[in-house]
Amino acid sequence: MEQYSHNQEVLTQPSMSPGMRMLSKVPQVAIFFLERMKYNKVVGNHFKERKLFMQENQNIMIILLNKVPQVTIFFWIIKILCTTVGETFADFINFNIGLGLTLTTIIMGVSFFIALFFQLKSNKYVPAIYWATIVLISVFGTLVTDNLTDNMSVPLEVSTAVFSVLLGLTLLFWYLSEKTLSIHSIFTKKREIFYWLTILFTFALGTAVGDLYSEQLGFGYLNTGIGVVMIIALVFLAYKFLKLDGVLAFWIAYILTRPLGASLGDYLSQSKVNGGLGLGTTVTSVIFLIAILVIIVFLAVSKIDTNAKSDIAETKQSNANKKHVLTQTIVVLVIFLVVGIGGYNWRSNYIASQGAADQATLGGQLNDFVKIENEMLNAVNKTDIATAKKGADNLEHQWDTQEPKLRKIDSTTWTKIDGTIDSVLATVRSSKPDVNRSKTVLTNSLIVLKDANK
């Protein structure tokens, strides 16, 4: 390396171009660039060799400067793991520790912005920083939607529409500004900000869509997860055999992995009474966090997610025919709108046919919930917390099962009751339940239930 002993002096000369100044921030890239300049002198004026050399230079430089990983099988595995943790870890802090939705959101929001600060400050892709930011943004994005639904009583249909528009506008402004939506050229602050804003809206939208279909429409977490897997498989087949644009396919799959990960997390963590495996949010979160850590260490050592070969191919594919990509995008949007809205209307009409349309209020529909909470209150009065927790599992299962029907009858009252039941579940299930606090929340919840049941 003696021939480059004066690199620092050369790179800081006033006549250096903006591109070279950017490269000087990454030493290994600057050295690579200087080596290639030396080779350029040897190539001389041979046009073909010079053209190939410049293309190779440009592609490798983009990869070395890129702030996000290459899309490999490990990318999708860790993405789904992060999404699952986003669901279970938020529930763990909210319910098990008992901090409540608002405080949990504040803590995770601050943690996310701290991680994002270090991610933006970094001048290259660092697996630990990048994936820590993904984990935290998955939790924060989930909590944003949960707050709109539970604390502000915003219908999931509205949240889905709003986040769809925000995501679409973000992608539109990103493309108008940078002329590409490829994640393989994230090497400027502007592109990186567009990237993380898009990621945030994908998590918020994925949460809203997942909750809308799995809970409000009553498909359940497992069926929703299976449906998402089928859609992702169709997108992959379209990408492989129908020449669906790589960037378009990526963002579709990225959005859909959110409800997939959430369904997986709920299926593993929910009690057997609720149709899950009963691992609990603590065990599920720990298992997946360990798996994430192992994969991050593997990626940091192997550097398999910084390989340039497939990155170049996808970037070229997305830029090959912009009109064709625009047509594909419109077709995909129309398909999702028709299937999504059609499925929503069909399921809503089905729920209405089950008797929900004949009811004007929730009067007489809440007897089972009053009974369950009375039994829980009796158990708490006897300091029998174990029995109270079993009652909480039964309460949650029955409430989730009846949600589509009850919400269809009176969504405003349902939302009010849902908030009190969430407080009951969080208090009784906390790691160290307070008897007096449990009595208070159960009593308040019973008052709301009995008033709505008249």
Side-chain angles (χ1 to χ4, degrees):
M1 298 296 294
E2 292 181 0
Q3 63 268 38
Y4 298 116
S5 59
H6 300 294
N7 282 353
Q8 186 66 30
E9 180 181 349
V10 172
L11 290 172
T12 56
Q13 288 179 355
S15 59
M16 185 170 56
S17 68
M20 285 293 292
R21 282 197 296 273
M22 178 181 69
L23 294 175
S24 68
K25 297 179 181 179
V26 188
Q28 67 270 33
V29 177
I31 292 172
F32 166 82
F33 187 76
L34 290 172
E35 288 175 344
R36 289 290 177 164
M37 285 178 62
K38 182 178 179 182
Y39 175 73
N40 189 23
K41 293 179 181 179
V42 177
V43 172
N45 294 322
H46 296 285
F47 178 75
K48 290 184 178 179
E49 290 86 347
R50 189 179 181 87
K51 184 177 180 181
L52 289 172
F53 159 74
M54 293 301 293
Q55 288 178 343
E56 180 186 0
N57 254 10
Q58 183 181 15
N59 289 330
I60 296 177
M61 298 291 281
I62 287 175
I63 301 308
L64 288 173
L65 289 169
N66 200 32
K67 298 285 294 293
V68 302
Q70 177 189 349
V71 180
T72 65
I73 185 63
F74 296 101
F75 177 93
W76 293 115
I77 291 174
I78 198 170
K79 167 61 168 60
I80 294 173
L81 292 176
C82 290
T83 302
T84 303
V85 168
E87 183 74 14
T88 59
F89 193 65
D91 288 343
F92 170 74
I93 297 176
N94 185 12
F95 293 111
N96 292 55
I97 297 180
L99 295 183
L101 186 58
T102 301
L103 185 56
T104 299
T105 304
I106 293 173
I107 293 173
M108 299 312 300
V110 171
S111 301
F112 160 61
F113 283 110
I114 291 174
L116 183 61
F117 169 79
F118 286 106
Q119 169 66 24
L120 294 173
K121 188 177 180 181
S122 174
N123 55 23
K124 62 179 181 179
Y125 163 62
V126 180
I129 297 177
Y130 174 85
W131 288 112
T133 309
I134 288 290
V135 170
L136 292 169
I137 199 174
S138 70
V139 179
F140 182 63
T142 298
L143 290 169
V144 168
T145 300
D146 288 345
N147 271 278
L148 290 174
T149 304
D150 297 336
N151 288 347
M152 303 177 67
S153 301
V154 176
L156 287 170
E157 295 90 341
V158 175
S159 297
T160 299
V162 170
F163 286 127
S164 296
V165 171
L166 290 175
L167 176 60
L169 289 175
T170 302
L171 292 171
L172 176 62
F173 288 129
W174 182 358
Y175 182 80
L176 292 176
S177 173
E178 304 300 310
K179 307 305 178 185
T180 179
L181 297 178
S182 174
I183 68 165
H184 303 303
S185 57
I186 310 297
F187 51 77
T188 67
K189 282 292 185 290
K190 182 189 288 186
R191 291 187 182 184
E192 193 170 9
I193 290 172
F194 274 125
Y195 174 79
W196 287 109
L197 194 59
T198 301
I199 298 300
L200 177 61
F201 288 141
T202 62
F203 276 110
L205 174 60
T207 301
V209 172
D211 289 350
L212 177 62
Y213 280 86
S214 64
E215 296 178 5
Q216 184 169 321
L217 297 180
F219 284 106
Y221 296 110
L222 184 58
N223 290 333
T224 301
I226 293 173
V228 171
V229 169
M230 293 174 63
I231 297 174
I232 292 176
L234 291 174
V235 171
F236 175 75
L237 292 175
Y239 168 69
K240 293 293 288 185
F241 302 108
L242 300 179
K243 297 183 179 180
L244 179 67
D245 179 66
V247 174
L248 178 60
F250 169 84
W251 286 115
I252 295 172
Y254 202 99
I255 295 171
L256 291 174
T257 51
R258 170 59 188 82
L260 174 61
S263 300
L264 178 61
D266 284 320
Y267 180 69
L268 293 173
S269 63
Q270 291 295 319
S271 64
K272 293 181 180 179
V273 174
N274 292 337
L277 296 182
L279 297 180
T281 56
T282 305
V283 174
T284 303
S285 297
V286 169
I287 291 174
F288 278 68
L289 283 171
I290 292 174
I292 291 170
L293 180 61
V294 170
I295 297 177
I296 288 176
V297 171
F298 169 74
L299 294 176
V301 173
S302 67
K303 300 189 183 301
I304 196 171
D305 56 344
T306 57
N307 187 308
K309 180 179 271 186
S310 63
D311 286 358
I312 298 168
E314 185 170 329
T315 302
K316 286 182 178 179
Q317 181 184 7
S318 63
N319 292 329
N321 191 334
K322 293 182 180 179
K323 290 184 179 179
H324 184 57
V325 172
L326 178 60
T327 301
Q328 287 186 347
T329 303
I330 294 173
V331 171
V332 168
L333 286 174
V334 170
I335 291 174
F336 271 93
L337 285 173
V338 171
V339 174
I341 296 176
Y344 171 82
N345 288 331
W346 166 78
R347 187 64 179 179
S348 296
N349 292 332
Y350 172 79
I351 294 171
S353 70
Q354 301 303 302
D358 299 331
Q359 296 286 333
T361 68
L362 296 179
Q365 301 290 316
L366 307 173
N367 293 326
D368 290 340
F369 305 108
V370 173
K371 180 182 178 181
I372 294 172
E373 289 201 356
N374 272 322
E375 292 174 349
M376 290 176 64
L377 183 58
N378 290 333
V380 170
N381 286 330
K382 297 175 182 178
T383 64
D384 186 359
I385 301 301
T387 299
K389 287 188 175 183
K390 289 182 181 178
D393 290 340
N394 187 29
L395 176 65
E396 182 180 34
H397 173 64
Q398 296 297 333
W399 186 246
D400 288 344
T401 301
Q402 294 296 317
E403 177 182 349
K405 178 183 177 181
L406 299 178
R407 197 167 189 167
K408 186 72 175 177
I409 295 172
D410 187 346
S411 61
T412 302
T413 304
W414 179 92
T415 301
K416 182 180 179 180
I417 298 172
D418 186 59
T420 65
I421 289 180
D422 281 345
S423 297
V424 169
L425 297 177
T427 303
V428 174
R429 286 174 169 173
S430 63
S431 55
K432 295 181 180 179
D434 182 276
V435 174
N436 291 328
R437 171 65 180 162
S438 297
K439 290 179 182 179
T440 301
V441 295
L442 278 165
T443 301
N444 291 338
S445 183
L446 280 167
I447 291 173
V448 175
L449 278 170
K450 290 177 180 178
D451 182 61
N453 198 40
K454 292 179 182 179

